[in-house]
Amino acid sequence: MKTQLRLSIFAAGFVVLGLIAALVSAQGPNQDMTGNWVVRTPNNDETFRTTYLNLKQEGSRITGTIRVTQFFYHIAESTGGPETFTLNASMMDGHSERKVQYEVKLSGNELRVSTRRRPTDPPTQMVAVRAPAGEGALPPRNPLPALRKVRDNGLARTPPMGWNSWNKFASRVNDEVVRSIADAMATNGMKQAGYVYINIDDTWEGGRDAQGNILTNKKFPDMKALASYVHSKGLKLGIYSSPGPNTCAGYEGSYGHEEQDARTYAAWGIDYLKYDWCGARTLYTDEEMQAVYQIMGDALLKAKRPIVYSLCQYGRNDVWKWGPEVGGNLWRTTGDIRDAWDSMTRIGFSQNELAPYARPGHWNDPDMLEIGNGAMSETEYKLHMSLWSILAAPLLAGNDLRSMSPEILAILTNREVIAVNQDKLGKQGKQVWKSGDQEIWVRELAGGAHAIAFFNRAAEPAKITIKWTEIGMDGQPKLRDLWTHQDVAWPGPEYSATIPGHGVIMLRAGG
Ligand code: GLA
C-alpha cells in the first residue's frame, strides 16, 4: 500500500513536470518570436546589409516593425501561426504606400525569414538572430530649420560633365577602379572634351568613429590620397551620401552629422556631392524635403570648399521650383535610368515642361548616361547624347571608360554636340514639333544660334519634311550637321531628311 502510494506520487510528479515542460515549450522564449531580430548579410567590403525585425507576439498575432536598408515598415497584419507567420508590413513613402511581405518561422534560437520583392519573384531566404533591444531602432526626428535662401556657390555655370560609378559598377566600385577611370579620362580625350568630375556613388561608406566622423569601408582605404591622385590628373572627385540615416543601398547616411560630413569631405578634397533622399523617407515627408536639403546646402558653404551640390530625390515635390533655394546646382527630375531604350527615352522626352527651370548654376538632371553600357545600339546612344545635350543635362558618363570601343568614345567626345550641351546661355531646349514618333527639339544658343534635333522614336527609318517656319526658324542660317561634322547647304524653305530608326539628325543653325 505504502509502495503503491509512493509510486503514484512519483507518477503524478512526472505528469506535473511534463505539463510544466509543455507549457514552457508552448510559451517560453524558444517558442515566442517576441524580441529584436537581425539579419546581417555581408557586403563585399566588410560592411553588412542589415534587416531588423522588432516583433511582439501575442498569441497568434504579431505586431512590430521591420527596418531594412532605407525602409522602415510597420507590421499591419499577421496571418498563420503558431509555427509560421506571414507578416504584411507597409510604410508611407512620400504620397504612396510601400508594402512588403515577410514569412517568419522559429527554428531553435534562429528566426528563418523569407521575403520576395514581387509576388512572382523567388523568395530571398535569410536567418535572423536575436539582437539587443534598441539596436537598429530608427533615430529620433531632428527638428528642421526655417526655410531661407542658401547663397549660390557660383559653381556649375554649364552642366557638370564627368563620370559616375553607379550605372556600371554599383557596389563593385573601389579605389583601384576610380584611379584607373581617372587615368582613362585623363588620357583618352574625354578630359580635353570637357569631362572633369569622377564621382563615387553609393557603397563607399563605412561606419563612424567614436567622434562621429564618417569612415570609408575596405574598398576605399584612403579617400584623401584618392582625391590627391584624381586632382593630380587635372580632374575632380565627387562623393555620395543621403540626408537620411541610410543610403539607398543601406550604407551610413549623413543624418545628424551634416556639418561634420561636409567638413570631412572638404578635408578629403571632395569637389562634388550627390545627396540622395533614400533613408530620409523614414523620418520626413516630401513636403519637408526643402528644409532637409537646406541643411546640407548650408553645411557645404560652411565647409569653405567649392563643392557642387547635386540633389537626388527623383523629381519629387517639384524640386525644380526650390532646388536653387537650397544651394542645389542640379536636381534629379525622375527615377533611375536603365540601359534600355524605353527607360532612356521615357525619361529624356518627358523633360519639356521643366525647360524654364534650367539656368547657369542650376540644372534639371534626367540622370546619368548609359552610353556604352551595351544594351542599346550606337544609333540609340547617339540619340541619348543628342537629347541630353539639347536638354542642357549633366553629361555624366556611366560606362567603363577603360574598355569602351572607339565608336562609344567618339559619341561621348563629340565636341560639336558637347558645345551645344555646354552653351553659355544655359537655356534648356524644347519640343517644337511632333508628328507620331517623330519629334523636333530646338535649343537656343548664345549669339542667336540654334541647335535643332530631329528625333525618330520609331524602330523604322522615317522621312520628315518640314518648313523652317514651322519650327520657328527664319533667315538662311549657316547649317552644320553635328554628327557627320559637315556643313549642310541651305535647302530652301523646306528641310527634308530620312532619320534612321531610333536615330537623330542634329544640326546647328547660325553662329
Ligand atoms: C538611387 C539613385 C541612384 C543611385 C542609387 C545608389 O537609386 O537614384 O542614382 O545613386 O540610389 O544606391
Side-chain angles (χ1 to χ4, degrees):
M1 176 69 197
K2 230 178 178 182
T3 333
Q4 256 189 5
L5 189 67
R6 270 214 203 109
L7 268 179
S8 41
I9 290 173
F10 194 65
F14 262 113
V15 170
V16 170
L17 274 177
L19 271 175
I20 291 172
L23 271 174
V24 165
S25 68
Q27 294 178 351
N30 283 342
Q31 286 304 313
D32 191 335
M33 295 185 191
T34 299
N36 193 22
W37 298 90
V38 62
V39 179
R40 281 183 232 279
T41 314
N43 293 316
N44 57 354
D45 49 29
E46 292 180 357
T47 64
F48 291 89
R49 177 190 159 95
T50 51
T51 304
Y52 285 95
L53 299 106
N54 198 343
L55 308 180
K56 187 165 182 208
Q57 182 174 347
E58 284 159 308
S60 60
R61 184 159 171 260
I62 292 188
T63 53
T65 58
I66 299 173
R67 180 173 180 191
V68 53
T69 61
Q70 47 172 322
F71 304 112
F72 188 80
Y73 301 98
H74 285 271
I75 298 168
E77 183 200 39
S78 73
T79 56
E83 294 274 294
T84 305
F85 286 90
T86 300
L87 311 177
N88 288 310
S90 67
M91 70 177 276
M92 282 311 287
D93 177 7
H95 297 278
S96 55
E97 193 183 16
R98 284 185 81 93
K99 292 184 175 177
V100 281
Q101 194 176 74
Y102 281 77
E103 210 167 79
V104 287
K105 179 180 165 52
L106 258 190
S107 168
N109 291 327
E110 295 172 348
L111 191 69
R112 303 275 148 137
V113 181
S114 95
T115 183
R116 48 183 109 221
R117 275 206 175 169
R118 282 172 293 259
T120 48
D121 287 350
T124 306
Q125 315 272 11
M126 299 174 282
V127 174
V129 295
R130 288 194 182 269
E135 190 184 298
L138 208 59
R141 206 183 111 104
N142 287 340
L144 290 170
L147 295 182
R148 284 186 303 100
K149 174 148 183 56
V150 175
R151 181 166 53 76
D152 189 342
N153 61 15
L155 301 170
R157 295 300 105 174
T158 59
M161 290 178 68
W163 174 87
N164 175 292
S165 59
W166 187 254
N167 286 357
K168 174 71 187 178
F169 292 91
S171 70
R172 294 178 311 280
V173 66
N174 60 32
D175 180 278
E176 199 269 318
V177 166
V178 172
R179 282 173 194 251
S180 51
I181 291 285
D183 292 345
M185 189 185 276
T187 53
N188 67 7
M190 288 182 75
K191 178 181 156 186
Q192 287 69 22
Y195 291 86
V196 62
Y197 292 101
I198 302 276
N199 293 346
I200 303 167
D201 207 278
D202 204 353
T203 79
W204 63 268
E205 310 87 342
R208 292 188 179 273
D209 69 12
Q211 286 72 48
N213 296 306
I214 185 76
L215 302 169
T216 55
N217 65 42
K218 190 182 149 221
K219 291 183 295 197
F220 290 91
D222 187 342
M223 198 61 94
K224 192 171 174 161
L226 180 56
S228 300
Y229 184 82
V230 170
H231 293 157
S232 78
K233 301 278 159 186
L235 301 171
K236 295 178 187 290
L237 187 65
I239 213 162
Y240 166 101
S241 190
S242 168
N246 294 100
T247 67
C248 290
Y251 286 67
E252 186 79 18
S254 290
Y255 180 70
H257 293 273
E258 293 83 358
E259 288 197 3
Q260 193 176 17
D261 285 0
R263 280 198 302 275
T264 303
Y265 304 151
W268 283 343
I270 297 295
D271 308 292
Y272 186 115
L273 172 68
K274 172 173 168 184
Y275 207 43
D276 195 344
W277 184 244
C278 288
R281 71 181 100 223
T282 56
L283 295 166
Y284 299 109
T285 65
D286 279 15
E287 287 66 33
E288 292 169 319
M289 281 178 174
Q290 182 173 347
V292 174
Y293 274 94
Q294 182 181 305
I295 299 174
M296 187 52 97
D298 277 331
L300 290 176
L301 285 184
K302 242 175 130 177
K304 297 221 171 355
R305 182 180 170 87
I307 298 179
V308 170
Y309 189 25
S310 155
L311 317 187
C312 175
Q313 40 78 288
Y314 339 113
R316 276 153 52 163
N317 201 35
D318 293 347
V319 59
W320 36 87
K321 294 185 179 159
W322 52 264
E325 301 292 305
V326 301
N329 296 112
L330 59 157
W331 47 83
R332 278 274 296 279
T333 56
T334 69
D336 291 10
I337 196 168
R338 283 179 301 108
D339 184 19
W341 167 256
D342 283 353
S343 164
M344 183 272 287
T345 52
R346 194 178 334 109
I347 288 177
F349 287 110
S350 70
Q351 304 293 301
N352 200 32
E353 302 302 314
L354 305 183
Y357 300 98
R359 59 181 189 275
H362 310 286
W363 308 102
N364 291 308
D365 172 9
D367 209 356
M368 304 164 298
L369 301 174
E370 291 285 4
I371 295 169
N373 277 334
M376 285 187 260
S377 68
E378 277 163 26
T379 304
E380 292 169 337
Y381 287 140
K382 278 186 189 170
L383 181 145
H384 188 359
M385 183 77 184
S386 307
L387 182 51
W388 262 237
S389 294
I390 286 283
L391 293 175
L395 294 181
L396 296 171
N399 61 322
D400 190 343
L401 306 184
R402 304 166 305 181
S403 57
M404 65 186 145
S405 67
E407 291 76 19
I408 292 297
L409 178 62
I411 294 172
L412 285 171
T413 54
N414 183 330
R415 301 248 186 157
E416 296 192 82
V417 173
I418 290 174
V420 171
N421 177 270
Q422 294 290 299
D423 183 77
K424 297 274 178 292
L425 196 58
K427 276 202 156 184
Q428 180 171 325
K430 293 206 60 149
Q431 185 202 78
V432 294
W433 183 92
K434 180 171 159 65
S435 168
D437 286 329
Q438 287 76 51
E439 302 190 16
I440 304 175
W441 288 57
V442 172
R443 176 169 172 189
E444 200 184 325
L445 304 174
H450 291 87
I452 312 167
F454 302 85
F455 295 108
N456 179 13
R457 297 176 67 174
E460 301 304 317
K463 184 170 178 189
I464 58 164
T465 301
I466 50 118
K467 288 192 177 59
W468 290 112
T469 49
E470 273 180 272
I471 59 168
M473 305 292 299
D474 54 15
Q476 292 192 13
K478 186 171 155 264
L479 291 181
R480 173 120 178 129
D481 185 317
L482 305 186
W483 284 107
T484 63
H485 304 296
Q486 279 169 359
D487 291 341
V488 176
W490 180 250
E494 274 187 7
Y495 177 74
S496 184
T498 300
I499 318 165
H502 289 182
V504 60
I505 292 175
M506 193 165 168
L507 302 178
R508 186 185 170 98

